[in-house]
Amino acid sequence: MANVVVVGAQWGDEGKGKIVDWLSERADIVCRFQGGHNAGHTLVVEGEVYKLHALPSGVVRGGKLSVIGNGVVLDPWHLVDEIASVRAQGVEITPENLLIAENTPLILPFHGELDRARENQNSVAKIGTTGRGIGPAYEDKVGRRVIRVADLADDATLERRVDRALVHHNALRSGLGLDPVDREALIEKLREVAPAILAHAAPVWKVLTEARRAGRRILFEGAQGALLDIDFGTYPFVTSSNVIAGQAATGTGIGPGAIDFVLGIVKAYTTRVGEGPFPTELFDEDGKRLGERGHEFGTTTGRQRRCGWFDATLVRQTCAISGVSGIALTKMDVLDGFEELKICTGYELDGEELDYLPTAAEAQARVTPIYETMPGWQESTAGARSWADLPAQAIKYVRRIEELIRCPVALVSTSPEREDTILVTDPFSD
Ligand code: GDP
Ligand code: IMO
Ligand code: MG
């Protein structure tokens, strides 16, 4: 019996969806524990492409239980639409195979409006968010004025909760020059969507505890990546939740002792969407080539992702913070054909060498990477399914990364397709 947490170890979009889908064959339950529909997880199964935002990536395989944990912020209208769109692709979603924690906070339309109003207000405050209301919804959770799934079940409670939220939001909106929220229309909209959400509502902590006792295997699916973590990321250019492995416990209601293996998902180079520091960012032909070969456009917003060389200093740091047991190295095939590859092994700041990214935003923006250079490989790794299929230089690149980040490689991914994956160590049977 083993439970595995999958987390992003860079700035998101490392290929978590593909790996969770691949690993879910070995799991009984796949559970989201933070974030919301700011996530965009792409799965490719026999040529069919699935784009998931709020739904756990386990939904695509039949016979698995998918769970949305309390650490998530959920836009109920988005969820209804996403369920409809994956159903149209032949995926079965029922109250039996999708559960939503009763204590999950809801993202309401005014959260998205506030998110976008702040982003558009002036360039000083701009984070480059997905505009989906994630930050404002988490603020309301911590501010004790959010509406949760369980509140949808009772009209009087729902009205009280809406009033509580609007005291704060109408004051804020007036300061931002937005009209007050139409209370009656919002309550009506919530009543309309309530049955679709309540059909899936459950005490998730209890379901998971009982499943664990019965020997079921749970896969916890992280969204974003450690450098977007609210505490450990490149603050303030981060998302509004803890995204690191420790959050799997509080975001679902299972004890930290239930986590047996933490799989960090690591792209073989680096990308980032939105604003914020990025020491190894490339503005030259190499960066353009990574973006083109890697199809680096956001699944959620369609924005072009910034691209750069692999930063071993950052990944060593994020693997430590998440307690990563092993990594899945993805998008190796994107590096095929480069003459040379650079790896960042440390930073220089004011004449001093650093072996970690400092915390101060001002210092993060000024560090310059120290690189080592390795020869690339001209052969194709695309679609490789075993070590034997990898060119010698590609193996050297993987081995060097392991050394630098002080963490072993458990999986290597060589294309978007589910089965184009090399298994080194099975996280579930370790
Ligand atoms: P996530 O947010 O971490 O789930 O990652 P995204 O789905 O946003 O972005 C990763 C993109 O890379 C998706 O389009 C995947 O289909 C694709 N992808 C995943 N693994 C590989 C790989 O090994 N090689 C290539 N070429 N593409 C991959
Ligand atoms: P997945 O799960 C990449 C980024 C946004 C922005 C910052 C804050 O697909 O890896 P938010 O809307 O969360 O308040 O935006 O975080 N961001 C992501 N970047 N992948 C993601 O998710 C992201 N989710 C949020 O671009 O910079
Ligand atoms: Mg993504």
Side-chain angles (χ1 to χ4, degrees), residues 130-335:
T130 59
R132 299 207 155 183
I134 306 297
Y138 276 118
E139 287 168 33
D140 277 1
K141 169 179 171 171
V142 180
R144 294 166 290 195
R145 57 177 172 264
V146 90
I147 297 168
R148 308 201 297 178
V149 166
D151 300 329
L152 294 171
D154 178 68
D155 275 355
T157 309
L158 186 59
E159 290 196 21
R160 272 203 311 278
R161 291 282 185 270
V162 167
D163 288 335
R164 196 180 165 89
L166 291 191
V167 169
H168 175 83
H169 279 277
N170 282 337
L172 195 56
R173 288 170 72 90
S174 128
L176 288 166
L178 297 171
D179 289 338
V181 174
D182 182 340
R183 176 184 185 273
E184 305 312 319
L186 175 61
I187 292 171
E188 189 45 40
K189 220 169 131 69
L190 281 163
R191 280 200 190 116
E192 253 171 48
V193 82
I197 301 300
L198 288 170
H200 300 273
V204 157
W205 66 270
K206 190 164 185 288
V207 173
L208 294 184
T209 302
E210 284 162 12
R212 222 190 131 204
R213 212 168 275 150
R216 301 273 181 276
R217 294 165 155 205
I218 310 169
L219 180 52
F220 296 91
E221 177 181 12
Q224 289 81 52
L227 295 162
L228 291 169
D229 183 89
I230 187 72
D231 286 300
F232 293 100
T234 46
Y235 194 91
F237 303 101
V238 293
T239 194
S240 295
S241 64
N242 281 116
V243 313
I244 59 177
Q247 174 64 18
T250 49
T252 61
I254 203 155
I259 298 166
D260 303 291
F261 193 101
V262 178
L263 184 69
I265 313 299
V266 177
K267 205 179 275 193
Y269 49 100
T270 314
T271 62
R272 157 160 224 179
V273 213
E275 312 297 313
F278 180 173
T280 63
E281 184 168 13
L282 290 168
F283 301 95
D284 60 4
E285 280 305 306
D286 286 334
K288 211 171 131 203
R289 181 165 169 181
L290 287 171
E292 278 166 10
R293 288 189 54 88
H295 304 290
E296 296 295 354
F297 291 90
T299 314
T300 301
T301 57
R303 287 179 292 175
Q304 198 167 343
R305 297 174 183 151
R306 301 155 63 191
C307 296
W309 294 121
F310 186 79
D311 190 335
T313 315
L314 279 185
V315 175
R316 181 166 64 233
Q317 184 163 336
T318 59
C319 282
I321 288 163
S322 259
V324 168
S325 325
I327 67 161
L329 191 65
T330 63
K331 304 193 91 162
M332 274 296 284
D333 53 298
V334 174
L335 300 182

Side-chain angles (χ1 to χ4, degrees), residues 11-17 38-42 52-53 223-224 267 273 297-300 305:
W11 275 290
D13 302 326
E14 298 91 350
K16 297 176 293 294
N38 49 349
H41 299 172
T42 310
L52 303 174
H53 300 280
Q224 289 81 52
K267 205 179 275 193
V273 213
F297 291 90
T299 314
T300 301
R305 297 174 183 151

Side-chain angles (χ1 to χ4, degrees), residues 111-133:
H111 291 130
E113 287 168 29
L114 179 57
D115 191 357
R116 293 186 292 274
R118 282 173 178 164
E119 285 285 294
N120 294 332
Q121 215 183 15
N122 64 54
S123 57
V124 181
K126 195 172 161 67
I127 302 290
T129 72
T130 59
R132 299 207 155 183

